[in-house]
């Protein structure tokens, strides 16, 4: 089955640690996105990538980093510079010509302990 | 003022009712209008995707866009308990990059 796989489902981070969230898609989609979801707020864009080896900052990129070395993979690193990282993180993808996030993964819930 | 406003609810209806979910927006440049359904602790699922004004129907779901009033709606007919979820509206312009603005979501409960 085609889709987006995010792992892990739950992640715990200690203060000062960097952690990497995985996002893999087998839909052959060009565009991939990372969003953060907090209670009572809409999804906020962290980073997006329209093509391999290229990515752009979203509205809340500070404290996060990404790479897009392969079309199917778009990992997100939450660095120690992100002061409030506890949130639900969602990865999405869309094919060329579709002006929206067509598919989302099941999310990773990150908690700082 | 937020670019997209959506009543958080919760909205509780009996099974079989017609549900109306709404969003207002301020940016007249928005051209693409979407509705997503999100079950608890899951990723959103794209339900409806429309361009510009008008209506679009898909099964029990109807999306309406009124660009003159900057108002979009999602109607659910014959609502079922399985429709209980959070519904997110979202919109995007034709220019300015690949940026979608999401509403905060309306939580819907359909009681059997």
């Amino acid at each position: 089955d085609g889709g987006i796989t995010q792992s892990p489902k739950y992640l715990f981070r200690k203060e000062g640690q960097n952690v990497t969230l995985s996002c893999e898609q087998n839909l052959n989609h060009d565009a991939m996105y990372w969003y953060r979801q907090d209670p009572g707020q809409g999804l906020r864009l962290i980073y997006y990538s329209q093509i391999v080896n290229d990515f752009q900052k979203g509205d809340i990129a500070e404290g996060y980093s990404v790479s897009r070395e392969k079309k199917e993979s778009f990992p997100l690193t939450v660095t120690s510079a992100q002061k409030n990282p506890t949130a639900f993180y969602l990865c999405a993808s869309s094919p060329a010509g579709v002006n929206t996030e067509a598919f989302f993964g099941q999310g990773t819930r990150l908690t700082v302990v | 003022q937020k670019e997209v406003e959506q009543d958080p609810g919760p909205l509780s209806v009996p099974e079989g009712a017609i549900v109306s979910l709404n969003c207002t927006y301020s940016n007249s440049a928005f051209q693409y209008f979407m509705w997503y359904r999100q079950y608890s602790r899951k990723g959103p699922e794209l339900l409806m995707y429309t361009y510009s004004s008008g209506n679009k129907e898909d099964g029990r779901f109807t999306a309406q866009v009124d660009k003159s009033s900057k108002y979009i709606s999602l109607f659910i007919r014959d609502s079922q308990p399985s429709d209980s979820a959070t519904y997110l509206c979202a919109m995007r312009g034709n220019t300015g990059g690949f940026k979608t603005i999401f509403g905060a979501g309306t939580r819907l409960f359909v009681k059997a």
Side-chain angles (χ1 to χ4, degrees), chain B residues 50-72:
Chain B
T50 57
Y51 174 73
S52 196
S53 283
N55 294 0
K56 183 175 183 178
E57 187 173 322
D58 184 1
R60 296 186 295 113
F61 298 91
T62 300
Q64 285 186 353
V65 175
D66 182 351
K67 291 188 70 181
S68 63
S69 301
K70 297 189 179 66
Y71 189 87
I72 69 170

Side-chain angles (χ1 to χ4, degrees), chain A residues 32-88:
Chain A
M32 295 187 75
Y33 312 81
W34 273 106
Y35 284 91
R36 169 179 172 143
Q37 188 174 35
D38 295 282
Q41 296 192 41
L43 276 65
R44 292 184 290 167
L45 182 64
I46 304 172
Y47 270 97
Y48 66 95
S49 169
Q50 297 168 240
I51 197 168
V52 174
N53 292 322
D54 183 62
F55 48 83
Q56 306 295 328
K57 292 182 179 180
D59 296 323
I60 56 166
E62 185 175 350
Y64 300 98
S65 66
V66 294
S67 64
R68 186 85 187 275
E69 297 176 0
K70 298 185 295 182
K71 188 175 186 178
E72 59 270 23
S73 180
F74 192 40
L76 173 74
T77 296
V78 184
T79 75
S80 57
Q82 171 48 240
K83 297 306 178 188
N84 186 23
T86 295
F88 190 47

Side-chain angles (χ1 to χ4, degrees), chain A residues 25 27-33 49-52 68 71 92-103, chain B residues 32 49 92 98:
Chain A
Q25 54 102 356
L27 301 163
N28 200 33
H29 286 175
D30 292 305
M32 295 187 75
Y33 312 81
S49 169
Q50 297 168 240
I51 197 168
V52 174
R68 186 85 187 275
K71 188 175 186 178
S93 72
S94 60
V98 174
N99 288 289
T100 192
E101 289 71 350
F103 289 93
Chain B
Y32 299 92
Y49 170 51
R92 185 191 279 202
F98 290 73

Side-chain angles (χ1 to χ4, degrees), chain B:
Chain B
Q1 183 187 5
K2 292 181 180 179
E3 279 191 281
V4 177
E5 297 278 0
Q6 186 174 11
D7 187 332
L11 178 62
S12 183
V13 300
E15 183 175 359
I18 296 175
V19 176
S20 173
L21 302 167
N22 310 294
C23 286
T24 58
Y25 63 94
S26 56
N27 189 342
S28 58
F30 289 142
Q31 296 284 346
Y32 299 92
F33 303 91
M34 290 73 70
W35 286 95
Y36 293 83
R37 177 175 62 196
Q38 186 176 23
Y39 293 113
S40 182
R41 290 186 286 274
K42 302 291 186 184
E45 171 194 7
L46 180 62
L47 282 178
M48 302 291 278
Y49 170 51
T50 57
Y51 174 73
S52 196
S53 283
N55 294 0
K56 183 175 183 178
E57 187 173 322
D58 184 1
R60 296 186 295 113
F61 298 91
T62 300
Q64 285 186 353
V65 175
D66 182 351
K67 291 188 70 181
S68 63
S69 301
K70 297 189 179 66
Y71 189 87
I72 69 170
S73 300
L74 178 71
F75 297 96
I76 307 174
R77 291 182 298 281
D78 188 26
S79 56
Q80 303 295 311
S82 58
D83 294 327
S84 297
T86 297
Y87 290 80
L88 309 172
C89 65
M91 37 203 88
R92 185 191 279 202
N94 250 339
T95 59
F98 290 73
K99 184 176 176 181
T100 301
I101 307 299
F102 286 84
T106 298
R107 197 158 182 195
L108 172 67
F109 293 97
V110 180
K111 296 182 178 179

